[in-house]
Amino acid sequence: MGAYNGLGYEKDVVFIPQQMTLYAQHLGADSHTLPDGTTTTKYILTRNLLPSDNYESEDYLNVSVSDTSEALVIDQRFYWWEDVVGDMYLLGDFVPKARFGIAGDGTNAIYLTKVAFSIEALDSGGTYSVVGSKTITFSTPRSTSSSAFDVFDVMGIIKAGFQRFRMYKDFVLRVRAWGYVAAGTGNMRLYFSRGEDATYVIVNYEEG
């Protein structure tokens, strides 16, 4: 037998990890309780998309932008709501994708300069541990002066190495975006539309 960081496999046999996709959604009227037992959130990761007509679900986060130099605009976490029974091995490769929209005021342009994805583990004490992260800086910032939203996707690849994910923790996807306006006020959106794969993360794993 050989081993990949403690996982047994037959010698000269290719080891292909299991894979799942976790979709970012807004839970609507219900909420998910975090590991501390009291804090709740409506921003979840789920293996199955919510119904497209899920009542009171939100489809995007909209933030007004007035900074004329680069500033953090969007900072949102999504939490996997399912309890992991036993431990799980995260095998280092994550593929996050997020859908953004930007709109100027019809005269002045708005710019999206960079996006960061982080995979985190949240414990019962409220501590976030970073499993892996990737910052994507655009050589040419995405921009528009139109008041109509310019909608587009950003995807990344996170190489984080082998990680053991312990039960009773929450798996977390954090999405951040930076930008600025030339003048006036613009808007930036992060989409997680109910029933759509607007924002998600692909996870490679093996059962512990």
Side-chain angles (χ1 to χ4, degrees), residues 20-42:
M20 64 178 169
T21 301
L22 299 175
Y23 301 99
Q25 301 274 264
H26 184 275
L27 199 50
D30 201 1
S31 60
H32 165 59
T33 302
L34 300 186
D36 65 7
T38 57
T39 306
T40 61
T41 182
K42 293 181 180 294

Side-chain angles (χ1 to χ4, degrees), residues 57-131:
S57 281
E58 297 176 2
D59 292 327
Y60 55 81
L61 173 68
N62 187 87
V63 180
S64 177
V65 183
S66 57
D67 290 286
T68 54
S69 59
E70 185 183 70
L72 178 63
V73 178
I74 287 174
D75 187 355
Q76 184 61 55
R77 285 182 167 102
F78 299 89
Y79 303 81
W80 188 19
W81 67 270
E82 294 181 88
D83 292 329
V84 176
V85 179
D87 294 347
M88 174 173 75
Y89 294 96
L90 303 177
L91 300 184
D93 296 334
F94 306 94
V95 183
K97 191 267 281 187
R99 182 165 297 161
F100 295 96
I102 54 175
D105 61 10
T107 300
N108 301 294
I110 182 173
Y111 301 84
L112 191 152
T113 57
K114 64 182 179 184
V115 170
F117 297 105
S118 298
I119 305 300
E120 301 174 335
L122 173 64
D123 65 22
S124 59
T127 300
Y128 291 89
S129 301
V130 177
V131 175

Side-chain angles (χ1 to χ4, degrees), residues 34-61:
L34 300 186
D36 65 7
T38 57
T39 306
T40 61
T41 182
K42 293 181 180 294
Y43 298 93
I44 64 166
L45 294 172
T46 176
R47 291 183 292 167
N48 298 295
L49 292 167
L50 297 181
S52 59
D53 59 351
N54 194 58
Y55 186 57
E56 292 189 353
S57 281
E58 297 176 2
D59 292 327
Y60 55 81
L61 173 68

